[in-house]
């Protein structure tokens, strides 16, 4: 089955800096890669996703890049703000699978 | 559209008791998945239902069970609670569950004493 590894487990940045979270996956059949943000006391919320026919996707200050050959994808957050502080999860899913495989999560702390 | 709702939001039980958690998916969504989230283990998949049928099951003991109703609402049950069952239980729904985005509810925080 799919295995998704996520690094780092904790990331501390100053407000205004950029943050990058990286994930690798094992199943070459995986073709859908969502990213979730989980704030304290809440369920994970989808913030951006990418499919395997696209190399990069942007939405304002966040972007995701995908390298299918190397089987890794990354989340980029620019101009970080204190409200970006949360736990971020990556996931990988193949078209034949009904459930995604999640990474262990990255705790992002943005210092004002 | 209303999001995924879960009830209750918080629950305190004692060892040996049983508990039932409820999840109402987004209207039109037919796939419902359940996850257990703990600080040490991250998001662990419990099971997934589609059209009242369990399609996938994670690696959890038989004390964990679930079901889905014809209106796609789902319940999960944990019998003979153990201290280690204390966790945030998350429900997620998607249209068909086949390579689609899952939308999560706020979770039910279960504390077993």
């Amino acid at each position: 089955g799919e295995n998704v590894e996520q690094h780092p487990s904790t990331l501390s940045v100053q407000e205004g800096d950029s943050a990058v979270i990286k994930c690798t996956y094992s199943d070459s059949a995986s073709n859908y890669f969502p990213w979730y943000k989980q704030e304290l006391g809440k369920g994970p919320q989808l913030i951006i996703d990418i499919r395997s026919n696209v190399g990069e996707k942007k939405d304002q200050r966040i972007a995701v890049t995908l390298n299918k050959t190397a089987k890794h994808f990354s989340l980029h957050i620019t101009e970080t703000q204190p409200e970006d502080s949360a736990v971020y999860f990556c996931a990988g899913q193949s078209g034949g699978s009904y459930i995604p495989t999640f990474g262990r999560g990255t705790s992002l702390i943005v210092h004002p | 559209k209303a999001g995924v709702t879960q009830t209750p939001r918080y629950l305190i039980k004692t060892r040996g008791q049983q508990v039932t958690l409820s999840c109402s998916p987004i209207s039109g969504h037919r796939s419902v998945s359940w996850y257990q989230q703990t600080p040490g283990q991250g998001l662990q998949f419990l099971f997934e239902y589609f059209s009242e049928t369990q399609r996938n099951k994670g690696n959890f003991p038989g004390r964990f069970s679930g079901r889905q109703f014809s209106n796609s609402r789902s319940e999960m049950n944990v019998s003979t609670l153990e201290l280690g069952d204390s966790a945030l239980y998350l429900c997620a729904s998607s249209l068909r569950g086949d390579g689609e985005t899952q939308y999560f509810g706020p979770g039910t925080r279960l504390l077993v004493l």
Side-chain angles (χ1 to χ4, degrees):
Chain A
E2 174 67 282
N3 181 45
V4 176
E5 295 194 358
Q6 182 172 349
H7 299 281
S9 57
T10 305
L11 180 58
S12 183
V13 301
Q14 289 295 130
E15 183 177 0
D17 288 349
S18 294
V20 180
I21 303 170
K22 298 180 180 180
C23 290
T24 60
Y25 61 98
S26 61
D27 187 353
S28 57
S30 288
N31 57 10
Y32 177 59
F33 305 93
W35 284 89
Y36 290 85
K37 174 184 180 182
Q38 186 175 23
E39 297 175 319
L40 203 60
K42 298 183 179 180
Q45 298 298 309
L46 179 76
I47 55 172
I48 196 168
D49 57 8
I50 191 168
R51 295 195 180 270
S52 59
N53 58 347
V54 175
E56 183 177 6
K57 185 176 178 180
K58 289 183 180 180
D59 183 4
Q60 299 183 335
R61 294 187 298 108
I62 60 173
V64 56
T65 58
L66 171 65
N67 183 325
K68 289 189 295 182
T69 303
K71 293 187 202 169
H72 67 71
F73 56 111
S74 301
L75 177 71
H76 304 254
I77 305 174
T78 59
E79 301 172 16
T80 54
Q81 302 167 3
E83 51 265 40
D84 294 330
S85 296
V87 178
Y88 291 81
F89 292 94
C90 66
Q93 185 171 358
S94 67
S97 171
Y98 299 116
I99 51 121
T101 300
F102 286 88
R104 296 292 290 268
T106 296
S107 177
L108 174 64
I109 303 166
V110 181
H111 299 280
Chain B
K1 272 187 182 178
V4 178
T5 58
Q6 293 186 245
T7 56
R9 291 294 312 279
Y10 304 93
L11 209 48
I12 299 175
K13 292 286 187 178
T14 56
R15 279 182 299 174
Q17 288 187 309
Q18 66 94 26
V19 67
T20 299
L21 312 181
S22 181
C23 170
S24 292
I26 292 172
S27 178
H29 285 194
R30 295 169 63 190
S31 170
V32 174
S33 298
W34 288 89
Y35 295 85
Q36 181 194 66
Q37 187 177 33
T38 57
Q41 298 297 322
L43 278 163
Q44 290 192 287
F45 171 71
L46 281 156
F47 26 66
E48 185 254 355
Y49 287 88
F50 179 81
S51 291
E52 303 177 67
T53 300
Q54 186 182 90
R55 285 195 303 195
N56 290 272
K57 189 177 190 305
N59 190 25
F60 277 81
R63 300 185 296 108
F64 292 81
S65 63
R67 60 178 176 168
Q68 186 180 34
F69 301 94
S70 58
N71 62 358
S72 294
R73 190 177 70 85
S74 178
E75 290 181 346
M76 67 163 282
N77 183 279
V78 187
S79 62
T80 319
L81 283 166
E82 300 177 358
L83 296 179
D85 296 334
S86 295
L88 179 67
Y89 289 89
L90 291 161
C91 165
S93 76
S94 66
L95 276 170
R96 296 179 306 274
D98 186 5
E100 298 169 335
T101 302
Q102 289 194 331
Y103 296 90
F104 284 85
T108 293
R109 175 75 62 185
L110 172 64
L111 177 61
V112 182
L113 302 175

